Amino acid sequence: MHAVKYCLEAAHIRPRDLTFVGFYDKPLLKFERILETYLGIAPRGFRSFLMAGPLWLKDKLYTDRNLRAALGYDGKVLYSEHHESHAASAFFPSPFQEAAILTMDGVGEWATASIGMGRGSEIDLIRELHWPDSLGLLYSAFTYHTGFKVNSGEYKVMGLAPYGEPKYADLIYCELVDLKEDGSFKLNQKYFNYLGGLTMTSPAFDEIFGGPPRIPESRLTQREMDLARSIQVVCEEIMLRMARTAQKETGMENLCLAGGVALNCVGNGRLLREGPFKKIWIQPAAGDAGGALGVAQLIWHRHCKKPRTVSAGRDSMKGAYLGPEYTDAEIEKFLRSTGAGYRRMQRQELLRQVAELLAAEKIVAWFNGRMEFGPRALGSRSILGDPRSPKMQAQMNLKIKFREGFRPFAPSVLVERVGEYFELAVESPYMLLVAQVRKDRQVPLTAEQTPLWGIDKLNIPRSDIPAITHIDYSARVQTVCRETNPDYYDLIKEFEKITGCGLLVNTSFNVRGEPIVCTPADAYRCFMRTHIDHLALGPFLLDKEAQPEWKETEEWKKTFQLD
Ligand SMILES: [Fe+2]
């Protein structure tokens, strides 16, 4: 509802101006899968069906009616299949005239992965893998077992993997996954519980992996690290095999990726290095949010037969800065109303000042222009720091983001400098490729440091840009080009002028467990609740020292519509 309302307002149109409304999957097909699944294993699944059933009936089956009522719209509602929406979101905005398409996620209606082909303004899916055999759900089972939240903690499992050894990989292949040469597989349902139960894994899973799931928030042990590494290795192998099949069946040189598994940027990095494709493009909103974009483009190209134009080497996501923006006047009105201390600055002066603060190891929150679409902060709603600082990683994890100390941070690097810092020869505008920090920048562990246990290793600088170097010397790179984000690019450039270093630490502007900030009020509250030193809010620069005492009253929250 909020999203629809925002889009209509931003476009200055009313529901009656709409020609079509699109929805990114087919609720009835999904309902069929759920019904069949539960009937197939009744009565085991009965309990969970009772819980899931009414919700489905209420919210999903009546999507059509809900959409119309909520919008005040009585035109046509068009539906595309879930993986077709992912595929469309991967291919249509890509910089390729033609490409193979690979989608992988938890599950849509029936499909859990698909291979397809895109040519001009058409896409075709040629192969599908079906529920309950799902790479997304397999990964989520390990997310659950290592004590993280399913559907959002997968990133943490990927980040934890380098601390472990792939000790359980053989066991996964022997017991859990019957993997075929072409990348398709069967999961042994004896070990899972998502068909009928309320958990991801079964007692049989606990038995072979040395105990029950870790209790969330309890101490991480070597077992979780080894489990994380093992499932990551298996996931990468399946991704590689599926990609090879996609290449064989389509004969294409380029690959487009979407679906939640395409957010596994370590896997994407391996696909790029070891896979059969020359170029890879990944939809930045690879999860289900991107489905909205996919169905809209399918309606445009397939249903309305509108042509698609590709501009050489450039995708049409324009940096994925598709969200809300606020005028200087709106921001200043907010700052006045809340009594904040701020200074308005000229553009060049602001860039210089922020770069100087960063060079002095200050942590600066950067709120600039349109918000990013998709899960990554790409320099519009970001918290920034100096990547050369050895204390930055611990400080940002514990004092700013209040999150687990093992998690690494990502770099934003000037696009023309990427090869000077990383083993990466292509652009990675959406932070969806992981690459190694260049050998000549790495600092090897000493003999005394090598036996240190897992997480302690993160506090030892591993390169001359330690804040963004993971313990295996990898980094989740965002390349920044002037064309899509001139302010952010010029800021990094200013930092480079002062320090000689052409990159910054970039982490999303939020704290653990909260969404990324959107409005100036969200931003100010996050700034005041954390140890962020300065906040650049459009052309206004705020110093923590110059702020009035922070009191978050009910009235304040109500005024700015905050929970
Ligand atoms: Fe999906």
Side-chain angles (χ1 to χ4, degrees):
M1 273 296 299
H2 286 293
V4 166
K5 191 165 163 267
Y6 165 73
C7 287
L8 291 173
E9 275 172 15
H12 305 294
I13 54 175
R14 290 152 302 178
R16 73 173 116 113
D17 301 321
L18 297 169
T19 320
F20 297 108
V21 166
F23 193 73
Y24 79 112
D25 69 9
K26 294 189 173 169
L28 273 169
L29 271 180
K30 208 169 199 169
F31 188 69
E32 176 196 81
R33 168 181 52 87
I34 287 176
L35 204 59
E36 273 190 31
T37 303
Y38 286 116
L39 291 178
I41 51 159
R44 185 157 68 95
F46 195 58
R47 187 161 154 242
S48 139
F49 181 60
L50 283 179
M51 291 183 69
L55 191 75
W56 279 95
L57 283 169
K58 193 164 148 270
D59 286 339
K60 300 283 179 180
L61 214 49
Y62 294 112
T63 305
D64 205 278
R65 190 192 292 173
N66 279 345
L67 275 175
R68 286 170 201 281
L71 274 170
Y73 165 82
D74 17 79
K76 266 197 175 154
V77 180
L78 301 176
Y79 296 83
S80 60
E81 280 188 29
H82 192 98
H83 276 259
E84 234 176 4
S85 302
H86 278 315
S89 78
F91 175 68
F92 289 131
S94 79
F96 308 134
Q97 191 60 43
E98 51 177 42
I101 307 168
L102 179 59
T103 66
M104 301 161 290
D105 71 355
V107 63
E109 298 90 358
W110 283 101
T112 60
S114 77
I115 288 173
M117 189 153 57
R119 269 208 181 104
S121 57
E122 284 169 27
I123 59 163
D124 281 305
L125 299 193
I126 48 185
R127 274 184 73 164
E128 281 183 352
L129 185 68
H130 279 185
W131 165 269
D133 302 312
S134 159
L135 181 53
L137 290 175
L138 172 67
Y139 206 96
S140 293
F142 283 83
T143 306
Y144 169 80
H145 204 79
T146 46
F148 299 108
K149 212 169 147 191
V150 168
N151 272 337
S152 66
E154 281 73 15
Y155 242 83
K156 301 182 186 178
V157 176
M158 191 183 75
L160 192 62
Y163 296 97
E165 294 299 327
K167 265 186 196 166
Y168 301 103
D170 287 341
L171 192 60
I172 295 174
Y173 288 127
C174 285
E175 294 290 331
L176 267 57
V177 185
D178 179 12
L179 178 61
K180 306 287 189 296
E181 193 50 47
D182 67 359
S184 67
F185 57 86
K186 282 238 158 300
L187 294 182
N188 186 347
Q189 291 302 330
K190 179 176 133 189
Y191 296 106
F192 302 95
N193 205 21
Y194 55 79
L195 282 183
L198 298 170
T199 58
M200 289 300 291
T201 54
S202 74
F205 192 104
D206 303 354
E207 224 163 88
I208 61 167
F209 291 113
R214 178 179 73 103
I215 295 164
E217 308 301 323
S218 66
R219 191 168 181 273
L220 282 162
T221 68
Q222 195 60 42
R223 183 178 80 113
E224 284 79 50
M225 298 176 191
D226 294 338
L227 282 169
R229 179 69 182 277
S230 306
I231 190 57
Q232 179 62 30
V233 164
V234 170
C235 177
E236 289 167 21
E237 181 60 30
I238 296 175
M239 287 172 80
L240 272 165
R241 287 192 191 194
M242 284 185 172
R244 286 189 200 114
T245 304
Q247 203 282 325
K248 245 184 249 160
E249 300 214 346
T250 63
M252 294 285 175
E253 288 187 343
N254 303 320
L255 175 68
C256 299
L257 287 171
V261 179
L263 294 171
N264 192 312
C265 37
V266 178
N268 296 344
R270 273 196 73 189
L271 277 190
L272 184 68
R273 289 190 302 276
E274 297 169 45
F277 291 97
K278 276 194 182 153
K279 288 182 182 165
I280 295 182
W281 190 84
I282 308 146
Q283 164 56 239
D288 285 351
L293 188 72
V295 65
Q297 295 210 301
L298 263 178
I299 293 172
W300 185 250
H301 293 302
R302 183 183 281 172
H303 197 84
C304 304
K305 309 239 178 313
K306 300 285 183 189
R308 167 174 175 259
T309 45
V310 180
S311 52
R314 286 274 158 249
D315 70 47
S316 60
M317 290 297 292
K318 297 176 180 165
Y321 304 107
L322 305 177
E325 65 179 342
Y326 299 87
T327 63
D328 297 351
E330 284 170 320
I331 298 173
E332 189 158 28
K333 190 173 159 214
F334 161 75
L335 289 172
R336 285 227 176 102
S337 72
T338 203
Y342 64 92
R343 254 190 333 133
R344 188 185 182 116
M345 298 173 99
Q346 293 300 319
R347 181 177 186 274
Q348 197 48 40
E349 188 194 358
L350 178 79
L351 296 176
R352 181 75 195 180
Q353 180 79 60
V354 171
E356 275 171 9
L357 289 167
L358 290 166
E361 292 187 285
K362 298 290 183 200
I363 294 171
V364 183
W366 181 251
F367 180 107
N368 183 282
R370 285 195 177 279
M371 190 184 182
E372 301 86 345
F373 177 54
R376 305 274 77 84
L378 300 168
S380 280
R381 303 288 187 275
S382 291
I383 300 171
L384 308 176
D386 185 342
R388 302 166 307 154
S389 165
K391 65 174 189 188
M392 198 51 70
Q393 185 152 352
Q395 201 176 342
M396 280 180 132
N397 263 332
L398 304 174
K399 290 175 78 179
I400 306 292
K401 306 270 298 200
F402 307 123
R403 68 180 205 178
E404 300 91 334
F406 71 85
R407 299 181 61 190
F409 287 103
S412 292
V413 61
L414 297 171
V415 65
E416 67 274 16
R417 295 263 183 268
V418 64
E420 294 170 31
Y421 295 95
F422 307 101
E423 307 283 348
L424 186 68
V426 296
E427 290 189 29
S428 174
Y430 305 115
M431 211 183 257
L432 287 170
L433 290 172
V434 165
Q436 292 293 105
V437 169
R438 267 177 66 131
K439 270 254 146 41
D440 51 0
R441 296 189 173 272
Q442 296 182 3
V443 180
L445 287 180
T446 62
E448 301 90 75
Q449 288 166 339
T450 307
L452 274 182
W453 184 79
I455 288 167
D456 295 331
K457 280 187 183 166
L458 195 67
N459 297 322
I460 306 162
R462 307 304 297 273
S463 74
D464 62 351
I465 37 176
I468 56 89
T469 307
H470 206 358
I471 60 151
D472 59 353
Y473 300 105
S474 68
R476 178 158 48 92
V477 179
Q478 179 200 3
T479 54
V480 181
C481 69
R482 196 162 197 288
E483 205 180 331
T484 53
N485 196 337
D487 289 342
Y488 193 41
Y489 178 92
D490 287 352
L491 173 66
I492 306 173
K493 199 90 189 156
E494 278 304 316
F495 183 75
E496 188 190 37
K497 277 185 207 158
I498 300 167
T499 63
C501 175
L503 67 156
L504 290 173
V505 181
N506 169 12
T507 184
S508 55
F509 191 171
N510 62 337
V511 297
R512 184 181 180 209
E514 288 192 354
I516 300 177
V517 303
C518 175
T519 66
D522 293 336
Y524 187 74
R525 176 167 73 166
C526 187
F527 170 57
M528 293 307 292
R529 279 176 170 185
T530 62
H531 293 272
I532 296 171
D533 300 304
H534 298 266
L535 168 62
L537 205 53
F540 307 99
L541 188 61
L542 286 71
D543 183 338
K544 180 66 68 58
E545 310 269 288
Q547 302 311 311
E549 198 196 337
W550 177 238
K551 274 195 238 93
E552 197 171 307
T553 60
E554 285 308 311
E555 199 193 328
W556 196 88
K557 285 198 276 189
K558 219 171 111 196
T559 310
F560 300 108
Q561 297 178 357
L562 299 170
D563 296 325

